[in-house]
Coordinates of all heavy atoms in Angstrom, one line a residue:
N272 N 106.7 137.2 64.2 CA 105.3 137.7 64.4 C 104.3 136.6 64.5 O 104.4 135.7 63.7 CB 104.9 138.7 63.4 CG 105.7 140.0 63.4 OD1 106.2 140.3 62.3 ND2 105.7 140.7 64.5
G273 N 103.5 136.5 65.5 CA 102.3 135.5 65.5 C 102.8 134.1 65.9 O 102.2 133.2 65.5
G274 N 103.9 134.0 66.7 CA 104.4 132.7 67.1 C 103.5 132.0 68.2 O 103.0 132.7 69.0
Y275 N 103.3 130.7 68.0 CA 102.4 130.0 68.9 C 103.0 130.0 70.3 O 102.2 130.2 71.3 CB 102.3 128.6 68.5 CG 101.8 127.6 69.5 CD1 100.4 127.6 69.9 CD2 102.6 126.8 70.2 CE1 100.0 126.8 70.9 CE2 102.2 125.9 71.2 CZ 100.9 126.0 71.5 OH 100.4 125.1 72.5
E276 N 104.3 129.8 70.5 CA 104.8 129.6 71.9 C 104.5 130.8 72.8 O 104.1 130.7 73.9 CB 106.3 129.3 71.9 CG 106.6 127.9 71.3 CD 106.6 127.9 69.8 OE1 106.6 129.0 69.2 OE2 106.5 126.8 69.2
D277 N 104.8 132.0 72.2 CA 104.5 133.3 73.0 C 103.0 133.5 73.1 O 102.5 134.0 74.2 CB 105.1 134.5 72.2 CG 106.6 134.6 72.5 OD1 107.0 134.5 73.7 OD2 107.4 134.8 71.6
W278 N 102.2 133.1 72.2 CA 100.8 133.2 72.3 C 100.3 132.3 73.4 O 99.5 132.7 74.2 CB 100.0 132.8 71.0 CG 98.6 132.7 71.0 CD1 97.8 133.7 70.8 CD2 97.7 131.6 71.3 NE1 96.4 133.3 70.9 CE2 96.4 132.0 71.2 CE3 98.0 130.3 71.6 CZ2 95.3 131.2 71.5 CZ3 96.9 129.5 71.8 CH2 95.6 129.8 71.8
A279 N 100.7 131.0 73.4 CA 100.3 130.0 74.5 C 100.7 130.5 75.9 O 100.0 130.3 76.8 CB 100.9 128.7 74.2
Y280 N 101.8 131.2 76.0 CA 102.2 131.7 77.3 C 101.5 133.1 77.7 O 101.1 133.3 78.8 CB 103.8 132.0 77.3 CG 104.3 132.8 78.4 CD1 104.0 132.4 79.7 CD2 105.0 133.9 78.2 CE1 104.5 133.2 80.8 CE2 105.5 134.8 79.2 CZ 105.2 134.3 80.5 OH 105.7 135.2 81.5
A281 N 101.3 134.0 76.8 CA 101.0 135.3 77.1 C 99.8 136.0 76.5 O 99.4 137.1 76.9 CB 102.2 136.3 76.7
A282 N 99.0 135.2 75.7 CA 97.8 135.8 75.1 C 96.8 136.2 76.1 O 96.0 137.0 75.9 CB 97.3 134.9 74.0
G283 N 96.8 135.4 77.3 CA 95.8 135.7 78.3 C 96.1 136.9 79.1 O 95.2 137.3 79.9
W284 N 97.2 137.5 78.9 CA 97.5 138.7 79.8 C 98.3 139.8 79.1 O 98.3 141.0 79.4 CB 98.2 138.3 81.1 CG 99.5 137.5 80.8 CD1 99.6 136.2 80.6 CD2 100.8 138.1 80.7 NE1 100.9 135.9 80.4 CE2 101.7 137.0 80.5 CE3 101.4 139.3 80.8 CZ2 103.1 137.2 80.3 CZ3 102.7 139.6 80.6 CH2 103.6 138.4 80.4
D285 N 99.1 139.4 78.1 CA 99.9 140.4 77.3 C 99.1 141.0 76.2 O 98.0 140.5 75.9 CB 101.2 139.8 76.8 CG 102.3 140.8 76.5 OD1 102.3 141.9 77.1 OD2 103.1 140.6 75.6
K286 N 99.6 142.1 75.6 CA 98.9 142.7 74.5 C 98.7 141.8 73.4 O 99.6 141.2 72.8 CB 99.6 144.0 74.1 CG 99.6 145.1 75.2 CD 100.4 146.3 74.7 CE 101.8 146.0 74.5 NZ 102.7 147.2 74.1
T287 N 97.5 141.7 72.9 CA 97.1 140.9 71.7 C 96.3 141.7 70.8 O 95.6 142.6 71.2 CB 96.4 139.5 72.1 OG1 95.2 139.9 72.8 CG2 97.3 138.7 72.9
N288 N 96.1 141.2 69.5 CA 95.3 141.9 68.7 C 94.1 141.0 68.3 O 94.0 139.9 68.8 CB 96.0 142.2 67.3 CG 96.7 141.0 66.7 OD1 97.7 140.5 67.2 ND2 96.1 140.4 65.7
T289 N 93.1 141.5 67.6 CA 91.9 140.9 67.5 C 91.7 140.2 66.1 O 90.6 139.7 65.7 CB 90.7 141.8 67.7 OG1 90.8 142.9 66.7 CG2 90.7 142.4 69.1
C290 N 92.7 140.1 65.3 CA 92.7 139.4 64.0 C 91.6 140.1 63.1 O 90.7 139.5 62.6 CB 92.4 138.0 64.1 SG 93.8 137.1 64.7
G291 N 91.6 141.4 62.9 CA 90.7 142.1 62.1 C 89.3 142.1 62.7 O 89.1 142.5 63.9
N292 N 88.3 141.5 62.0 CA 87.0 141.5 62.5 C 86.6 140.2 63.2 O 85.4 139.9 63.4 CB 86.0 141.8 61.3 CG 86.2 143.2 60.7 OD1 86.4 144.2 61.5 ND2 86.1 143.2 59.4
R293 N 87.6 139.4 63.5 CA 87.3 138.1 64.0 C 87.2 138.2 65.5 O 88.2 138.1 66.3 CB 88.4 137.1 63.7 CG 88.4 136.8 62.2 CD 89.5 135.6 61.9 NE 89.4 135.3 60.5 CZ 90.2 134.4 59.9 NH1 91.2 133.8 60.7 NH2 90.1 134.1 58.7
N294 N 86.0 138.4 66.0 CA 85.8 138.7 67.5 C 84.9 137.6 68.1 O 84.4 137.8 69.2 CB 85.1 140.0 67.7 CG 86.0 141.2 67.3 OD1 87.2 141.1 67.6 ND2 85.5 142.1 66.5
S295 N 84.7 136.5 67.4 CA 83.8 135.4 67.9 C 84.6 134.6 69.0 O 85.8 134.8 69.2 CB 83.5 134.5 66.8 OG 84.6 133.7 66.4

Side-chain angles (χ1 to χ4, degrees):
N272 292 123
Y275 162 76
E276 291 80 15
D277 281 312
W278 176 87
Y280 164 57
W284 56 273
D285 199 27
K286 292 179 293 185
T287 58
N288 53 286
T289 58
C290 291
N292 294 322
R293 295 182 174 181
N294 294 314
S295 70

